[in-house]
Amino acid sequence: MNPFSSGTRLRDMIRAIRACKTAAEERAVVRKECAAIRAAISENDPDYRHRNLAKLMFIHMLGYPTHFGQMECLKLIASAGFPEKRIGYLGLMLLLDERQEVLMLVTNSLKQDLNHSNQYIVGLALCALGNICSAEMARDLAPEVERLLQTRDPNIKKKAALCSIRIIRKVPDLAENFMGPASSLLKEKHHGVLIAGVQLCTDLCKASTIALEYLRKNCTEGLVRILRDVSNSPYAPEYDIAGITDPFLHIRVLRLMRMLGQGDADSSEYMNDILAQVATKTESNKNAGNAILYECVETIMGIEATSGLRVLAINILGRFLSNRDNNIRYVALNMLMKAVTVDSQAVQRHRTTILECVKDSDASIRKRALELVFLLVNDTNVKSLTKELIDHLEVSDQEFKGDLTAKICSIVEKFSQEKLWYIDQMCKVLSLAGNHVKDDVWHALIVMISNAPDLQGYAVRSLYKAFRTSNEQESLVRVTVWCIGEYGEMLVNNVGVLEMEEPMTVTESDAVDVVEVALQHHSSDITTRAMSLVALLKLSSRFPPTSERIREIVMQHKGNVELELQQRSLEFNSIIQRHPNIKSSLVERMPVLDESAYIGKRAGSSQATLSADKSSQTTSSGPSSLKLPNGVTKPPAAPLMDLLDLSSDDAPVSTSSTTDFLHDLLGGDSISPGVAPSGGAGTDILMDLLSIGSPSAPTDVLVPNAISSKQGNAPEPKIAPAPVMDLLDGLPSREENPVYPSITAFESSTLKITFSFTKQPGNLQATVIQATFTNLSSSAYTDFIFQAAVPKILLLCNCFNALDLIVALIFKCK
């Protein structure tokens, strides 16, 4: 016999394929075998059709195309013998799926086999229909399957129930047709039929609310009876697993009971007794018993159970946490997280065990236990739980410190009622895991310290002591440097010492040493070093004897490769060495930060991001207008008035608002509220902002040469900004002698300074500023000093008048 003829046995083909040493040899064998099968199909050879189909199924499992044999499946299904039908249905389930159009041709054969007198052929048809049933086939064959649910043969009932599940999932509208037969299956004694019937009822509840109500009224009593019988049944070898009778039926029934009792008090009350019996009688020393107990706990927590039953369920989960199996502990933690919202007090009793899980060697258990601990924290136990977590933070793994630190910081920020306790806990966290702390955490700590004047001295001393032991933690270094820069004199002078503090002596040199260590440390990044330079500048004013030493430290970075640090070093050295008279005012203590505004901004950052995303998705209503989310359409902006699109997106653009923005560009918030520009002033100011001139010519600012006030010693005025070079060469709308509005550069209860601006004809690169000083007090001022500062791109001309006005050029520090 030809080894590759259609009459080759399946075992011979398998042996030939396994003998191949390379993939090429295997492809050659399969190619020859497929050619022989095609020849047999073309000759319509009925003798070896079933053998050819068996070989095609093996070839299909190897991954080779076998679509040419699909029609052979239909021919075998249409044959009269059981062996041919068995191979045909097997090939149908393996070679075809519900998306194949060929499947439509098999519907009639399936209908005939479902009505066959041979129960084995009926079983073949039900098995095939349950695997490849499409929506069209489900509608056509649902009556036959429904009829088979009421037969006497348990094997046919079981297969019909499983086939019904497939039909309901494909066509949920047919669910109501199976409600009656499904409820009758729950009265069967055969466990296979019971499991299939319970699963059918479960799918009916998911597919239809009508079916859910029907089964709730008619099946609750039957389910309780099934669960009681299987729980109290004697030893049955055919169903026994680890000493428990049919745990699979236990679990299926408990799941269906959970669906029926959810949200229904009457059904739940009827289930309470049997659930308590299962929870107390089931042994937990075997895996099968643990599976039943877990499903029982889920059912108790899912229905309207009594409080005592819920406590019993949570205690079972508490026992699970002491199990050696990591999987059991993990599912227990998951279930306890759901139970916290139902009965928090019962879960609190197992707090100690849960905290032990935080220290577990398994990473997944640690993370889940940490999330559960976070849910358990309240105002009464926050201090004890935080202490436990911080103690574990010291010995925890590096990969777990990030999650643990984030949770501790969230707990402290959310539940802290005392600022002193907040400072203590954050200092501990920063000392142990400062490198894992996010920026917004230490930012919030700085904001809180600035808002607690009574604790600023204590905070800077605590941070100083923490820094001496943990100067490797980046966040701790930053907060310490900032606090020493702001409150260094409190550290040295022991201001605001609390009763619980131990006395300590810190000199001015010691405070400078801390900042120097932070600046020179190899692990400090550019942010930390920049903050250290700022702190040194402030300490040079607070501690005058150390000023020269600080200047030497600062100058060490004049050649730093980081441009930011290099610039700060040079500018701060200039301030310390050349401008001691203004240094104290430059490095004054920062004003109190608005804590409520910071918290609101931090909490609303995510919402702002979402709203920005929504705005970016808004479609445009036209080439020159914008469709806003609230339905307001923004009118087209004027080419000059809204050049920078400074107007609000929420309201139409007006001339006055645009003019205010242009005033703000020239004078910040120093514009006098009483001065209103004349018509067209907004355009003129913008024209002046881009005043015509050569890019290479310097822009001059003339110091005022006429003063109409008494001279005196007054605070430093705000600096009036100067216009920049013009980029628009000769706009036709520019006036020859434009009028510029005056601005109030400085105003207090004792002094008012007003600036007026004019342009010299033919010299548009220069602006003449006339300053008017008005004495608002009754006292006379002497030794009046006026200082003006401009950016480096502008030139300040020294035009002194007879009053000996002193003009000092101060370069702007970044």
Side-chain angles (χ1 to χ4, degrees), residues 618-637:
T618 307
T619 57
S620 176
S621 60
S624 60
S625 61
L626 177 65
K627 184 69 174 179
L628 299 176
N630 59 3
V632 178
T633 303
K634 177 181 172 182

Side-chain angles (χ1 to χ4, degrees), residues 303-317:
I303 67 174
E304 305 298 322
T306 60
S307 59
L309 195 57
R310 286 176 178 164
V311 171
L312 175 62
I314 292 174
N315 290 339
I316 292 174
L317 295 176

Side-chain angles (χ1 to χ4, degrees), residues 321-514:
L321 293 179
S322 303
N323 199 296
R324 294 182 179 179
D325 192 340
N326 288 345
N327 294 325
I328 293 176
R329 281 188 288 168
Y330 186 81
V331 297
L333 290 170
N334 272 339
M335 194 63 214
L336 284 172
M337 291 183 67
K338 302 176 184 177
V340 168
T341 58
V342 179
D343 193 345
S344 177
Q345 291 299 323
V347 181
Q348 290 281 359
R349 298 189 186 100
H350 305 280
R351 191 174 62 203
T352 305
T353 310
I354 296 170
L355 280 171
E356 289 299 320
C357 291
V358 176
K359 306 172 186 178
D360 195 89
S361 59
D362 188 274
S364 58
I365 291 179
R366 287 201 305 261
K367 291 183 179 180
R368 189 61 67 188
L370 182 60
E371 294 174 2
L372 180 56
V373 169
F374 183 76
L375 296 177
L376 291 177
V377 176
N378 53 37
D379 293 333
T380 58
N381 62 17
V382 59
K383 292 188 177 181
S384 59
L385 283 178
T386 304
K387 182 180 182 301
E388 292 283 347
L389 294 177
I390 291 178
D391 290 343
H392 179 59
L393 181 62
E394 187 173 359
V395 296
S396 62
D397 299 335
Q398 289 296 325
E399 62 270 12
F400 184 55
K401 281 193 175 183
D403 296 331
L404 185 56
T405 301
K407 290 297 182 183
I408 294 175
C409 294
S410 298
I411 291 172
V412 173
E413 291 178 2
K414 184 177 180 181
F415 295 98
S416 63
Q417 299 176 350
E418 305 171 2
K419 291 185 176 181
L420 178 61
W421 182 79
Y422 177 88
I423 293 174
D424 288 338
Q425 305 312 308
M426 293 307 299
C427 285
K428 293 178 182 178
V429 173
L430 292 177
S431 301
L432 296 174
N435 293 332
H436 301 276
V437 173
K438 296 181 179 179
D439 287 346
D440 57 348
V441 174
W442 64 268
H443 291 172
L445 176 60
I446 287 177
V447 172
M448 198 282 301
I449 293 175
S450 70
N451 282 270
D454 297 337
L455 298 175
Q456 287 170 353
Y458 173 77
V460 70
R461 285 188 293 272
S462 300
L463 290 168
Y464 174 79
K465 289 185 287 187
F467 179 87
R468 293 173 62 184
T469 58
S470 306
N471 59 6
E472 298 282 343
Q473 306 297 335
E474 196 72 33
S475 298
L476 174 66
V477 173
R478 292 176 181 177
V479 179
T480 303
V481 165
W482 186 88
C483 288
I484 290 178
E486 294 295 321
Y487 316 114
E489 69 278 8
M490 293 185 175
L491 174 65
V492 174
N493 300 326
N494 285 327
V495 177
V497 178
L498 303 181
E499 295 180 358
M500 61 181 182
E501 285 190 79
E502 297 180 0
M504 61 181 300
T505 303
V506 181
T507 64
E508 296 178 353
S509 180
D510 293 336
V512 176
D513 288 342
V514 170

Side-chain angles (χ1 to χ4, degrees), residues 144-186:
E144 278 72 20
V145 178
E146 182 182 349
R147 177 183 57 80
L148 291 173
L149 285 172
Q150 302 171 6
T151 60
R152 294 183 179 181
D153 189 352
N155 187 46
I156 297 298
K157 279 187 177 180
K158 180 179 67 174
K159 292 186 177 183
L162 296 174
C163 186
S164 302
I165 294 172
R166 171 85 177 196
I167 292 174
I168 292 170
R169 290 177 180 176
K170 289 296 177 183
V171 188
D173 296 340
L174 298 175
E176 298 177 10
N177 299 338
F178 292 90
M179 293 188 304
S183 61
S184 64
L185 291 178
L186 301 181

Side-chain angles (χ1 to χ4, degrees), residues 243-297:
I244 297 175
T245 302
D246 203 346
F248 300 101
L249 182 59
H250 270 95
I251 291 173
R252 296 287 184 184
V253 172
L254 287 170
R255 287 180 180 175
L256 180 56
M257 291 175 69
R258 180 164 72 249
M259 296 187 69
L260 298 180
Q262 189 173 9
D264 187 83
D266 296 334
S267 300
S268 301
E269 184 180 359
Y270 197 79
M271 301 172 187
N272 283 338
D273 293 339
I274 186 60
L275 290 175
Q277 179 182 341
V278 173
T280 52
K281 289 186 61 177
T282 305
E283 298 179 2
S284 60
N285 56 352
K286 298 293 184 180
N287 217 21
N290 289 327
I292 294 175
L293 286 175
Y294 177 76
E295 204 66 42
C296 183
V297 169

Side-chain angles (χ1 to χ4, degrees), residues 425-701:
Q425 305 312 308
M426 293 307 299
C427 285
K428 293 178 182 178
V429 173
L430 292 177
S431 301
L432 296 174
N435 293 332
H436 301 276
V437 173
K438 296 181 179 179
D439 287 346
D440 57 348
V441 174
W442 64 268
H443 291 172
L445 176 60
I446 287 177
V447 172
M448 198 282 301
I449 293 175
S450 70
N451 282 270
D454 297 337
L455 298 175
Q456 287 170 353
Y458 173 77
V460 70
R461 285 188 293 272
S462 300
L463 290 168
Y464 174 79
K465 289 185 287 187
F467 179 87
R468 293 173 62 184
T469 58
S470 306
N471 59 6
E472 298 282 343
Q473 306 297 335
E474 196 72 33
S475 298
L476 174 66
V477 173
R478 292 176 181 177
V479 179
T480 303
V481 165
W482 186 88
C483 288
I484 290 178
E486 294 295 321
Y487 316 114
E489 69 278 8
M490 293 185 175
L491 174 65
V492 174
N493 300 326
N494 285 327
V495 177
V497 178
L498 303 181
E499 295 180 358
M500 61 181 182
E501 285 190 79
E502 297 180 0
M504 61 181 300
T505 303
V506 181
T507 64
E508 296 178 353
S509 180
D510 293 336
V512 176
D513 288 342
V514 170
V515 184
E516 183 180 8
V517 169
L519 181 63
Q520 306 293 353
H521 200 275
H522 64 88
S523 64
S524 297
D525 60 4
I526 184 173
T527 302
T528 305
R529 293 180 179 179
M531 293 177 66
S532 301
L533 288 174
V534 175
L536 287 172
L537 177 63
K538 293 190 174 186
L539 291 180
S540 68
S541 176
R542 288 157 173 69
F543 305 148
T546 64
S547 180
E548 184 59 28
R549 178 192 171 191
I550 289 175
R551 191 186 68 80
E552 293 176 357
I553 297 173
V554 169
M555 282 304 294
Q556 293 176 5
H557 294 269
K558 66 179 181 179
N560 198 294
V561 294
E562 294 288 347
L563 184 60
E564 174 73 17
L565 300 180
Q566 182 184 128
Q567 181 177 355
R568 287 180 185 243
S569 175
L570 294 172
E571 292 174 349
F572 292 173
N573 175 68
S574 177
I575 293 174
I576 295 173
Q577 191 174 19
R578 301 179 183 177
H579 307 287
N581 55 336
I582 66 167
K583 182 173 63 173
S584 58
S585 59
L586 283 176
V587 298
E588 287 180 352
R589 185 176 296 173
M590 286 184 64
V592 176
L593 303 174
D594 192 342
E595 188 173 11
S596 59
Y598 175 78
I599 294 174
K601 179 181 178 181
R602 183 180 175 189
S605 59
S606 59
Q607 298 178 359
T609 303
L610 291 176
S611 61
D613 293 340
K614 291 181 181 179
S615 300
S616 64
Q617 296 173 359
T618 307
T619 57
S620 176
S621 60
S624 60
S625 61
L626 177 65
K627 184 69 174 179
L628 299 176
N630 59 3
V632 178
T633 303
K634 177 181 172 182
L640 288 178
M641 298 294 287
D642 198 22
L643 182 64
L644 302 178
D645 194 18
L646 297 172
S647 57
S648 171
D649 284 344
D650 299 334
V653 180
S654 63
T655 304
S656 60
S657 64
T658 307
T659 306
D660 292 339
F661 280 124
L662 295 174
H663 279 300
D664 186 55
L665 282 174
L666 289 181
D669 55 357
S670 60
I671 301 175
S672 176
V675 178
S678 59
T683 305
D684 294 337
I685 293 174
L686 184 59
M687 299 286 284
D688 180 63
L689 186 65
L690 306 174
S691 57
I692 300 174
S694 173
S696 60
T699 304
D700 301 339
V701 179

Side-chain angles (χ1 to χ4, degrees), residues 702-712 751-756 768-775 781 784-787 799-807:
L702 299 182
V703 175
N705 54 10
I707 300 178
S708 58
S709 70
K710 297 181 180 179
Q711 300 181 30
L751 179 66
K752 179 179 180 181
I753 304 175
T754 305
F755 285 176
S756 301
V768 178
I769 304 176
Q770 177 175 333
T772 304
F773 301 81
T774 305
N775 185 2
Y781 290 159
F784 186 83
I785 298 177
F786 174 65
Q787 297 177 335
C799 299
F800 303 104
N801 58 6
L803 299 177
D804 294 330
L805 179 64
I806 301 176
V807 178

